[in-house]
Amino acid sequence: FCPREAAGAQLQPGMATAEGTARLLRRAVERGALHPLNVRGLPLASRGPASAPVAGQQPSQLSVAAVGFGAYRVGGGDKEPSHLAALRSALRVGVNLIDTSSHYSAGEKGSGSSHGASERLVGQAIAEAIAEGDVDRDGLVVCTKLGHAELGKPAPPGAVPIRPEGQGANQDVWHSIHPEFVDAEVRASRERLGTPPDFVLLHNPEYFLSAQMQQRVPIGEAWDEMYERLGQSFEALEALCDEGVISSGYGVSGNFLSCMFSTTGRGNLYESLALDRLVDVAAAAAARRGKEGGHRFRI
């Protein structure tokens, strides 16, 4: 297995497009690998099954198979060949949405191979699939996430410790959404993936709220500080979209008010996120950057 962030690794050009994703799924339907009802549209302009892509029609949104490939426990272990084969097989039958994260891995924690291992494997699978003609880059929707710092490294700017209930403080486990950390992590993810990610999500930013709760900060003050920090992160993500380091947009993967439990397993109130406030924060972040066309925050 060869890490793709090695110096001189070539990036795959391109990004997911409405035409490319529709073409990939149409071909999968035509050869019987994918049922027409298992096609969905992104973003949520389509609520429910979308019509199967039809030749000659110009699609207006990204199209994805109803089943995506979640790359949580893949990469960085002795089962890498099996993980790679599973992803390659999924791509061949029309699965075109891949979800990963900077800290996803099947390797041993702290082994030096865990951080970014899933992204490296995803990058290898995409490169091989394109080279062998299984897919085109514009047919794939590649999503990754950030927030968790690499184990054993110094705390990044703006970091809070992750302290699982009943385990006390572990100062080697850090989480951050500071703009400098966001910028560095997205660029590292692009190198590991071997292509600009289509979407980047902040991974459980509410760990900041968990730290505030343990310090008994009043909930209103904690929430205000949380959304101030998110606004700064969103500005960094908008800049990365402008530069092309992120191809399409960004979002948040977290436990919202609608979730019963928080990311630490408690009843979800203090540590939760409110979607309407996130949308307002994204609009304000884009406005501060002088963006007339609006923000790139996606739900």
Side-chain angles (χ1 to χ4, degrees):
F1 183 73
C2 180
R4 292 194 56 80
E5 75 253 58
Q10 185 176 359
L11 293 179
Q12 292 286 346
M15 58 183 284
T17 66
E19 182 179 356
T21 55
R23 182 178 63 250
L24 183 149
L25 295 181
R26 183 174 62 249
R27 290 173 177 172
V29 169
E30 289 173 349
R31 65 176 183 269
L34 182 68
H35 193 280
L37 292 180
N38 289 330
V39 175
R40 301 291 185 269
L42 292 176
L44 292 179
S46 174
R47 298 184 178 275
S51 299
V54 177
Q57 290 185 355
Q58 186 65 30
S60 60
Q61 59 186 0
L62 298 179
S63 302
V64 295
V67 175
F69 190 96
Y72 175 40
R73 297 289 292 169
V74 305
D78 58 6
K79 293 185 174 12
E80 277 186 346
S82 296
H83 298 159
L84 180 62
L87 179 50
R88 288 293 310 280
S89 177
L91 294 175
R92 280 192 290 269
V93 297
V95 172
N96 69 326
L97 173 62
I98 305 171
D99 175 76
T100 183
S101 180
S102 63
H103 83 293
Y104 283 176
S105 169
E108 295 183 8
K109 299 300 182 184
S111 65
S113 64
S114 61
H115 194 80
S118 175
E119 290 179 324
R120 286 190 290 269
L121 184 137
V122 168
Q124 180 177 351
I126 291 173
E128 291 181 1
I130 291 174
E132 295 181 19
D134 293 339
V135 298
D136 296 318
R137 175 62 183 91
D138 63 359
L140 303 178
V141 180
V142 181
C143 305
T144 192
K145 301 182 284 293
L146 67 92
H148 294 266
E150 184 173 357
L151 294 177
K153 298 292 186 179
V160 296
I162 297 176
R163 300 173 179 173
E165 188 72 21
Q167 296 183 24
N170 185 343
Q171 297 300 316
D172 291 327
V173 182
W174 299 99
H175 189 281
S176 176
I177 59 168
H178 188 279
E180 292 180 13
F181 181 71
V182 168
D183 184 88
E185 282 287 279
V186 174
R187 294 180 190 279
S189 290
R190 177 182 61 170
E191 295 304 312
R192 288 189 290 260
L193 290 166
T195 187
D198 294 294
F199 298 97
V200 173
L201 310 180
L202 298 181
H203 207 176
N204 292 122
E206 64 271 27
Y207 274 119
F208 171 77
L209 294 174
S210 303
Q212 294 290 93
M213 184 171 65
Q214 290 170 353
Q215 297 173 25
R216 301 185 182 277
V217 176
I219 187 171
E221 295 179 20
W223 279 13
D224 286 346
E225 177 63 20
M226 174 83 271
Y227 292 104
E228 176 67 27
R229 290 184 175 221
L230 283 166
Q232 297 171 7
S233 304
F234 286 1
E235 283 193 65
L237 291 165
E238 290 282 353
L240 289 162
C241 289
D242 290 342
E243 189 181 338
V245 181
I246 302 172
S247 293
S248 296
Y250 62 92
V252 171
S253 172
N255 291 38
F256 289 81
L257 279 170
S258 58
C259 297
M260 185 172 295
F261 296 104
S262 73
T263 191
T264 59
R266 301 179 179 91
N268 202 30
L269 179 59
Y270 189 112
E271 302 164 279
S272 62
L273 299 172
L275 182 56
D276 57 344
R277 288 193 69 171
L278 287 179
V279 174
D280 291 342
V281 166
R288 287 193 296 272
R289 287 187 52 79
K291 302 288 286 299
E292 296 181 0
H295 59 76
R296 292 190 180 91
F297 181 78
R298 297 293 181 263
I299 300 171

